[in-house]
Structure formats: structure tokens, C-alpha cells
Amino acid sequence: MESHEEIAGILLRYHRLLIVTHVMPDGDAIGSMLGLGLGLQRKGRQVTMTCPGGIPENLQFMPGSDQIVPVDEIRSHEYDIVVALDSSDPGRIEGVYEQIPPGVPIVNIDHHATNKGYGTYNYIDSASAATGEQVYRVLIAMNVRVDLNIAVCLFTAIATDTGFFRFSNTTPTTLRIAARLVERGADPSGISEQVYEARSLESLKMLGRVLDTLQVDKSGKIAWMEVYRDWLSEFSLDEGQTEGFVNYARMVKGVEVALIFRESADGKIRIGMRSKGDFDVGAFAETLGGGGHARAAGCSLDGQSISEAKELVFGKVYEIMGLAGD
Ligand code: 5GP
Ligand code: MN
């Protein structure tokens, strides 16, 4: 494990850097990538940024997002070092990871406790609320001046991964870093509006459809929702636009585990998980080949229908919670 100071020193030894973040990127993924990328550019480095799949429209306001290039345009041998952000396992950066030549080091910066430590250098800190917090420390250690553009990206990263400082991962350090970023010009209310209040009418109608599927089991501790592929085409949406829906299932009083089952374009069932109690959904998702945090996690299951996936997952959740199944 490397410290943020060591990571800063390592990054500055290289000139051509490739930064990659995870598939279906969220605010922390894109914000921490842009924050680091813009910071390294200020140091005169040649930086390329990429991520598998598209960038959600509501994150494209961040400065530098027009520099992000599609994975299929990346030739990994053209870089001296690869930096992976917010990605707990190589599967999260599919399409880039496999093409990294053996001689090119990987720097793995992440705050997931389930991180597999796949980097040549690893800076993993599960006490950080967001990868954006870690990137802030690395930039300071590199003596980068945090300008308005970097502040907007890192504030977005930290604010989105903490639910605007409401989630249990929010610490005094989180708030101190956020305060610094606001001093540099990041505007919390403007950023909140860009991220959360620029939805399409269709995505809200879709939320109505998905909320209709919300159910709670007989113990009252498990709530779940379902998303079917033909609904996405009906509303002309892609899967990314159902991001955040699972949080509604967690709002039900008494619920400890909230789940969303989604039919994915690749034929898999994607499961989003949230916890409001002691149940560690990150550790649970890891047993199913996914990962995440204690209170927010996810995984994909192959070759199953939503009802099969539900049966499998509920059985395991009941077992861990010591509840009798139906
Ligand atoms: P979300 O439900 O917001 O997409 O994801 C919640 C958290 O779980 C995020 O920190 C995300 O990185 C992680 N996560 C979601 N799906 C997967 C997955 O399939 N594999 C891994 N390793 N982590 C996931
Ligand atoms: Mn994150």
C-alpha cells in the first residue's frame, strides 16, 4: 500500500498518463478523474482520460468532460503509466485493463474496502467518503493549485458519493475538504441543480413505473424494485438513467436492505443494493462477484431472470439476517 504522498511522487515521474474510471460512471468516478487529469495537465503532463461506456448527461457540465475519449480509441501501449480510479476490481475497467502491457505500471486509487489491490501501486482508503477526497490529497502533495475547474470536479465527486453530505461516510475531513473546494469557487447549490435537477421528463415517468414495483417483504426489513428492459425502450432511456432509483426503496420506514433488480443490455441482471442498518451490502455483493461499500453496493448475475435472481439473493439475505424465508 502506498500513501498519497508516495502516489504523488510516482505520478510525477511519468509524462504520458492514461486515467481510467469505472463503467456506468457516477459523479465520483468522473469528478475524481477530471480533477486528477486537470491537475496533472497543470503540471505539464500529457493526460488522456477514458471510461467504458458513455458519460451520463447530468455529469457533462464538469470542466474537462469534453476531453474524455471512448475506450475503443485507447491504445494502452502509448502511455507510461495507467491510473485507475474508484474501481474496486479490473472488471470495472474492462476494455482498458486487458490491453495494458506488462511493463506499464498501474496506479490504483480507490476508497472501496472490497478493492482487490490489483495495481502496481495501491492507494486504498476506505475511510475516504469518495475517491475525490483521495485525489484532493494527491494534488496537494503534488503542489497543484486547486483552481475553480478542479474544485468543481472534486466537489461534485465528494458531494455525490455522500448524498450531499448526508450519508454515514461523511466525516469531518470530508467537510473540511469540501469547504476548501467551496473557497476555491465550487458552488454547492449550482452543482446540486446540475446533477439532480436536470432529469428528462421520461426518466421521471420511468421512476413512477419503477416505484410501482416497490415491495417490502413480510419482515419489513427488505424492500425491492424491478426494472425491465422493454420499459427502457418504451421511455427511450438507457440503464444509466435509472441511477439512484434504489435509494427510494431505502426510504421505507424499518427497511434495512434495499435492492433494485435491473435487466441489463448485456443479458445480465444488475443488482443495486443499499443498506440502512448493520447489513454490509459491500461484503454481500462481493460474494456474488460484485463489490461496493457497506451501505451502497452492486453486482451482476449471469444467465438468470429477475425472478431467479430474486430467489437467489433473498435466500442469501435471509440467511445472513437470520430471518425465515417465505
Ligand atoms: P450504484 O448502485 O450507485 O451503481 O453503486 C453503488 C456502489 O457499488 C458504488 O460504489 C459502485 O462502485 C459499487 N458497485 C456497483 N455495482 C458494482 C459491481 O458490479 N461490481 C463492483 N465491484 N462494484 C459495484
Ligand atoms: Mn466512489
Side-chain angles (χ1 to χ4, degrees), residues 128-146:
S128 288
T131 302
E133 264 190 38
Q134 298 173 275
V135 165
Y136 177 83
R137 287 188 197 100
V138 171
L139 292 182
I140 296 300
M142 290 195 307
N143 265 320
V144 169
R145 205 182 75 76
V146 174

Side-chain angles (χ1 to χ4, degrees), residues 22 26 28-29 32 86 110-112 129-132 157 161 293:
H22 63 78
D26 54 16
D28 187 29
S32 58
D86 201 34
D110 184 28
H111 67 131
H112 291 90
T131 302
D161 254 25
H293 307 289

Side-chain angles (χ1 to χ4, degrees), residues 16 69 87 102 108 110 120 127 149 153 160 171 189 200 205-206 211 247 269 271 306 314:
R16 299 173 307 171
V69 299
S87 303
N108 173 12
D110 184 28
T120 317
N149 287 350
C153 297
T160 52
T171 67
S189 109
S200 65
K205 298 277 186 200
M206 176 73 163
L211 277 176
N247 293 313
I269 303 297
I271 308 175
I306 284 189
F314 278 60

Side-chain angles (χ1 to χ4, degrees), residues 1 15 33 63 85 113 128 153 173 182 204 220 229 232 278 281 307:
M1 256 284 280
H15 190 74
M33 177 164 75
L85 295 175
S128 288
C153 297
T173 305
V182 173
L204 286 170
R229 270 223 73 66
L232 291 172
D278 296 333
V281 286
S307 61

